[in-house]
Amino acid sequence: MKFFRNRGKGRKRGKRYDISYYCADAAMTALAGRRALTGNAETETVVIGGGLAGLSVALSLAERDRNVIVLEKNRIGWGASGRNGGMVSIGFSAFYDAIIRKVGIAHTQKLYGLANEGMARIRSRIRDYRIDCPVVDGVLETSWYEDPVEMKGYVDILNRHCGTKAEYWSPEKVRRHYETECYHDAAFIPEGFHINPLQYLHGVANAVELKGGRVYEGTDVIEIIRSPGGGHFTVRTPCGNVSARRVVIACGAYIEPGLNEDVSASNIPIRGYMMVTEPLSRGVMESAIRAPYAVYDNRHVPSYFRTLADGRILWGGKGGFFRDPADIEAMLTEDMLSVFPQLEGVRAEKAWAGSYGMATHAMPQIGELEPGLWYSAGHGCHGLATTAMAGELIARALVDNDIAWRAFSPYGLTSTGGTLGKIGAMLVYNSYMVRDRIAV
Ligand SMILES: Cc1cc2nc3c(=O)[nH]c(=O)nc-3n(C[C@H](O)[C@H](O)[C@H](O)COP(=O)(O)OP(=O)(O)OC[C@H]3O[C@@H](n4cnc5c(N)ncnc54)[C@H](O)[C@@H]3O)c2cc1C
């Protein structure tokens, strides 16, 4: 079934939008699509990409009364932002110890402080713009391995350096909430929460428009042309051009090399998989899951889940690079049953895949390529919070010449080494999955 028809004028949108369970939500189906750009337009800043990275920059600019246009090739939220797990948790895709090793403790604290502001910004936007997107508090990071010293040390580091009030959960406490032999102890992170990401994204886009920004869908940016004397850019699309003083590239994993070679060459597009089950009776649910938190484990390639208000389980895990598995539902059902065998017989109702962009260093990439040409990329699997953070940092830089974004300069655009590099990354990733299996 096609949930969204092209109700706007302009070029016909080619891609289906019922890509995830979130699109099947009644409120989402009621949302009309937006117009494609036709003819020429002028603005101060043009943002390319209508995912959370692009819309977050746009809202932070619109909140400062700046003119902004967002151009989205498909529908807003068509990419990773409308397909993800909806878990808003602390930090980054890079492990905290790798960050400390690279930039030291003081700088790590600064980075986590910025990411925590991103998390808080999501909460405040939901509240301030009355976005219809319930927030469920609490994220639990469970340990797949029996190593209480490690988990207690992790909780200690989170609280001392990362600005959390995390709690150590003993194996007994974990077992009271989750009936599985796979998890040992855990870190409970009360600052974390989970949401319907597509509902949140639509709320952000509506807020951009409320504040005077313009959002176009079905508008594929083909080229960014700098004027000969500098000073402004022309952003070319099939049915019109936008002239702007600044451009922000926010195309996630879906960036094509022709748009910008540097940003594209530093992107490893990683496939992630998700499914939702049918609604479970209370008894079946409580035979396995007796708490409302978002949960993930600490393997290199974790599985993660959360329960939804209508009694379903949303389950994600595995991952890949090139070709999707033939049957994502079967793969994820097997994964779920490996943790909760008592759920045998529970059916998956919808499964989907999506790509998120990752840098070789696994940290967000925020910066200026040349005067006026910015990027927000590489948000990895923590993009809900880090896109909100990056949007604010870029807007502060554009409006106030603020330099807080430079905290991410140690993690710039790094080449992935082309196809060979991506094959190398895939081999490393696969070796992680093998190590996860061996380390049980
Ligand atoms: C399965 C899965 C599960 C995940 N789970 C979580 C989670 O639980 N928590 C979390 O924090 N993060 C999670 N993530 C990661 C998170 O979704 C991403 O980091 C984040 O959404 C990236 O946002 P983005 O705007 O950079 O990219 P996208 O959301 O991919 O947006 C990029 C947009 O740019 C558009 N575009 C591309 N090229 C052009 C062009 N030339 N012209 C115009 N538009 C263009 C695309 O159509 C797309 O809509 C998950 C990701 C996946 C795939």
Side-chain angles (χ1 to χ4, degrees):
M1 192 201 313
K2 215 168 187 168
F3 287 108
F4 288 88
R5 281 181 296 117
N6 174 17
R7 299 188 204 158
K9 293 179 194 141
R11 201 165 68 89
K12 190 172 183 303
R13 296 176 194 110
K15 299 244 165 83
R16 287 163 64 92
Y17 195 55
D18 59 338
I19 27 101
S20 74
Y21 166 74
Y22 305 119
C23 300
D25 183 282
M28 291 291 104
T29 56
L31 289 169
R34 288 172 167 81
R35 283 192 318 121
L37 177 78
T38 48
N40 295 336
E42 224 175 284
T43 187
E44 185 178 31
T45 304
V46 61
V47 178
I48 308 172
L52 281 170
L55 290 166
S56 300
V57 180
L59 183 51
S60 288
L61 285 170
E63 283 172 339
R64 290 167 170 79
D65 294 325
R66 309 311 283 234
N67 279 320
V68 61
I69 286 180
V70 179
L71 301 177
E72 164 57 45
K73 180 177 179 172
N74 301 292
R75 293 286 312 269
I76 56 166
W78 174 89
S81 301
R83 309 181 190 213
N84 63 56
M87 301 185 180
V88 185
S89 193
I90 50 150
F92 309 95
S93 291
F95 290 118
Y96 72 93
D97 46 352
I99 306 175
I100 293 174
R101 270 199 309 278
K102 182 166 171 81
V103 297
I105 289 213
H107 198 93
T108 302
Q109 286 173 332
K110 192 194 273 186
L111 295 173
Y112 270 80
L114 291 168
N116 291 347
E117 281 173 27
M119 289 173 72
R121 194 164 303 285
I122 296 176
R123 283 183 189 273
S124 64
R125 282 186 168 154
I126 290 172
R127 189 189 57 231
D128 297 348
Y129 294 107
R130 297 170 190 238
I131 299 175
D132 179 18
C133 176
V135 169
V136 183
D137 286 317
V139 167
L140 192 71
E141 181 172 340
T142 60
S143 182
W144 198 260
Y145 317 102
E146 197 169 355
D147 190 349
V149 175
E150 165 82 21
M151 187 47 88
K152 284 179 181 160
Y154 176 57
V155 169
D156 184 50
I157 285 181
L158 286 180
N159 291 340
R160 274 195 296 136
H161 303 306
C162 308
T164 61
K165 292 195 168 58
E167 223 179 79
Y168 173 76
W169 277 23
S170 66
E172 296 71 36
K173 184 159 183 182
V174 173
R175 188 61 88 84
R176 279 205 295 278
H177 295 83
Y178 300 98
E179 195 63 54
T180 171
E181 286 175 10
C182 292
Y183 301 156
H184 294 274
D185 45 3
F188 178 69
I189 300 155
E191 294 82 2
F193 52 97
H194 57 98
I195 54 173
N196 177 323
L198 191 60
Q199 265 173 351
Y200 166 66
L201 176 138
H202 277 278
V204 172
N206 292 342
V208 170
E209 291 171 331
L210 188 78
K211 297 265 173 199
R214 284 170 280 171
V215 180
Y216 295 100
E217 297 184 322
T219 303
D220 182 5
V221 173
I222 302 163
E223 198 179 3
I224 305 166
I225 306 162
R226 176 180 272 287
S227 66
H232 86 273
F233 296 88
T234 302
V235 164
R236 209 159 65 76
T237 84
C239 298
N241 298 335
V242 182
S243 167
R245 279 179 53 215
R246 277 110 172 217
V247 178
V248 182
I249 300 172
C251 300
Y254 298 93
I255 186 160
E256 291 191 10
L259 188 67
N260 186 279
E261 194 62 52
D262 294 330
V263 179
S264 160
S266 73
N267 166 50
I268 306 173
I270 296 183
R271 295 294 274 170
Y273 304 109
M274 308 230 54
M275 69 164 189
V276 281
T277 66
E278 62 185 332
L280 275 58
S281 71
R282 198 165 157 187
V284 173
M285 182 68 93
E286 290 187 351
S287 73
I289 300 169
R290 298 185 279 272
Y293 310 122
V295 178
Y296 56 91
D297 65 64
N298 64 348
R299 284 173 296 172
H300 289 96
V301 183
S303 300
Y304 49 97
F305 67 90
R306 61 193 181 95
T307 54
L308 305 182
D310 59 359
R312 298 171 195 271
I313 301 171
L314 184 137
W315 190 276
K318 307 290 182 186
F321 288 83
F322 294 118
R323 198 179 323 143
D324 292 333
D327 190 343
I328 299 172
E329 277 183 16
M331 177 186 76
L332 290 178
T333 303
E334 190 186 323
D335 193 43
M336 181 178 79
L337 294 180
S338 71
V339 180
F340 295 115
Q342 62 271 51
L343 297 180
E344 179 76 55
V346 170
R347 274 187 319 109
E349 274 196 0
K350 181 151 181 98
W352 64 95
S355 301
Y356 56 86
M358 182 87 106
T360 49
H361 46 63
M363 288 292 278
Q365 297 161 306
I366 302 164
E368 191 176 25
L369 282 158
E370 54 180 279
L373 182 58
W374 289 74
Y375 56 89
S376 171
H379 292 285
C381 52
H382 278 245
L384 280 167
T386 64
T387 51
M389 169 197 76
E392 187 69 7
L393 291 177
I394 292 174
R396 277 161 53 182
L398 294 183
V399 177
D400 305 322
N401 286 322
D402 183 88
I403 56 162
W405 65 272
R406 287 188 193 276
F408 287 89
S409 296
Y411 300 100
L413 297 175
T414 47
S415 171
T416 58
T419 307
L420 273 182
K422 283 176 190 170
I423 290 171
M426 182 185 73
L427 293 175
V428 171
Y429 190 84
N430 286 345
S431 77
Y432 282 158
M433 289 208 266
V434 172
R435 272 155 59 186
D436 284 341
R437 276 204 290 273
I438 293 169
V440 174

